[in-house]
Amino acid sequence: MNNIKLSWYPYTLDLKHPFNISINSRTTTPAVLVEMEYKGMVGYGEASLPPYLKETQKSVQLFLRKMDFSSYDDKTDLSSILSGIDNLFPGSNAAKASIDIALHDLVGKIKGLPVYKMYEIPKREMFTSYTIGIDSTEMILHKLEEAENFNYIKVKLGTGDDRKIINTIRTATDKPIFADVNQGWKNREEALDLTIWLYENNVLLIEQPFHKSNLKDTAWLNERSPIPIIADEAVQRLSDLDKIKNAYSGINIKLMKSTGISEAYKMIIRARQLNLKIMLGCMTETSCAISAAAHLSSLADWVDLDGNILINNDLFDGVKATQGKIIPNDLPGLGIKKIF
Ligand code: MG
């Protein structure tokens, strides 16, 4: 058969610990896993669907049912296939990411190249942070033990107890910290006091301090902050960069927001032109989507790709930061193997 055959199945990611952030808490993440078969080869893809992004297993499956690759003569022409799909259907960023990731895996396998070589990205070992949610003192200390091999800690703030959380961490380690407020701060003067205090406590950056629509207070804080203020919820795709460029010092790029590898790469190029720093992040995901992101990791300033080590039921062997390091695999495509 001379067409791509697409199949998929819903899958529930089972989190090792309940994941608490300033706006919600959960113990699972819904996902949809995709298989793309062509000429005897299979590419794997994944849509991870944290509820706040509004896509569901049902909406992703409806999207996948509409996919038709028959009009593309060259099934390895990533840019025309992906832009064709993007132009046909609005939204559905994670669903598009599942197609983008599977197609990169497939094309890499057809060409015999790992994804990072397809983009001529240098291979470099990067250090990822280990994420600690909003937890009891006891659980924070337990998670810090789990993070023993990691050089960076990422911590969720925006609780009203932010100083207490950092003080707890500082009783156990002086490792540098990435602070993620998840839109939790309300008052800009208090935010500035806290930002300076965090800086004095070896916090390297602050992610999404205010509501994503509040560019005015964000710009005010960013002008005065001794450390970079990074956009996460405020940035999804390439077209968002110009809207936020004057309010932030950097962006957190995630494949599930960006519609996949192809646009994430374009966002990295554009962010550099705008003099914005780059964090490469993730949702809770299997080693499929984490390995996909790992191919871009050497282009980032900071890497937060620990989503696959926070779940109990990974389905793939791939890039896994058990020792705190991220380095892309040299096997063709994403460099992953299905293990169940
Ligand atoms: Mg974030």
Side-chain angles (χ1 to χ4, degrees), residues 178-193:
F178 306 152
D180 188 356
V181 182
N182 289 113
Q183 316 183 74
W185 291 349
K186 307 287 178 235
N187 176 288
R188 71 184 195 180
E189 277 81 15
E190 284 174 22
L192 180 59
D193 282 351

Side-chain angles (χ1 to χ4, degrees), residues 63-312:
F63 176 90
L64 294 172
R65 230 169 269 154
K66 292 184 222 156
M67 290 299 101
D68 177 8
F69 301 94
S70 59
S71 62
Y72 302 101
D73 292 336
D74 179 0
K75 311 297 186 212
T76 67
D77 185 350
L78 280 158
S79 69
S80 70
I81 295 175
L82 294 173
S83 66
I85 291 169
D86 194 26
N87 291 335
L88 275 179
F89 309 102
S92 302
N93 295 8
K96 286 173 183 170
S98 73
I99 294 289
D100 168 285
I101 293 168
L103 194 60
H104 276 83
D105 194 26
L106 184 67
V107 172
K109 283 170 177 165
I110 290 170
K111 296 190 169 176
L113 287 173
V115 170
Y116 79 90
K117 283 194 180 159
M118 287 161 57
Y119 283 85
E120 297 177 9
I121 294 170
K123 185 171 179 172
R124 187 156 63 99
E125 187 176 78
M126 299 293 287
F127 295 92
T128 176
S129 51
Y130 186 88
T131 301
I132 294 180
I134 292 168
D135 274 307
S136 64
T137 300
E138 204 176 26
M139 185 52 89
I140 289 174
L141 294 173
H142 171 71
K143 286 185 181 174
L144 285 170
E145 280 173 30
E146 289 183 349
E148 195 190 349
N149 296 323
F150 289 72
N151 291 14
Y152 300 93
I153 304 298
K154 176 162 172 174
V155 66
K156 298 290 190 177
L157 298 182
T159 63
D161 275 333
D162 293 351
R163 283 183 170 83
K164 188 178 158 207
I165 291 168
I166 299 296
N167 283 331
T168 300
I169 295 173
R170 287 289 171 249
T171 64
T173 176
D174 56 7
K175 285 176 188 173
I177 294 173
F178 306 152
D180 188 356
V181 182
N182 289 113
Q183 316 183 74
W185 291 349
K186 307 287 178 235
N187 176 288
R188 71 184 195 180
E189 277 81 15
E190 284 174 22
L192 180 59
D193 282 351
L194 199 43
T195 296
I196 291 165
W197 184 85
L198 291 169
Y199 162 68
E200 289 163 356
N201 281 276
N202 200 19
V203 171
L204 300 186
L205 59 89
I206 294 172
E207 219 178 291
Q208 203 63 56
F210 303 115
H211 191 270
K212 61 184 178 184
S213 64
N214 187 354
L215 292 180
K216 202 171 151 227
D217 287 340
T218 308
W220 183 91
L221 179 64
N222 191 47
E223 264 169 40
R224 290 158 180 80
S225 172
I227 48 177
I229 306 295
I230 306 297
D232 183 4
E233 286 86 340
V235 170
Q236 307 260 320
R237 301 194 55 174
L238 182 63
S239 56
D240 296 322
L241 261 62
D242 281 294
K243 296 178 213 159
I244 61 88
K245 66 184 179 193
N246 298 321
Y248 292 88
S249 296
I251 56 168
N252 186 343
I253 300 174
K254 299 176 180 172
L255 299 188
M256 296 301 143
K257 298 189 297 178
S258 73
T259 71
I261 298 167
S262 170
E263 185 152 325
Y265 180 76
K266 291 177 194 162
M267 290 174 78
I268 290 170
I269 304 294
R270 181 69 184 138
R272 290 296 177 212
Q273 290 168 351
L274 294 171
N275 207 16
L276 291 168
K277 298 267 190 194
I278 294 156
M279 172 181 271
L280 191 63
C282 62
M283 311 297 175
T284 39
E285 294 164 359
T286 72
S287 291
C288 175
I290 294 294
S291 300
H295 287 277
L296 301 173
S297 60
S298 75
L299 300 177
D301 297 291
W302 308 288
V303 176
D304 177 35
L305 292 178
D306 62 349
N308 54 343
I309 49 183
L310 304 176
I311 63 171
N312 286 318

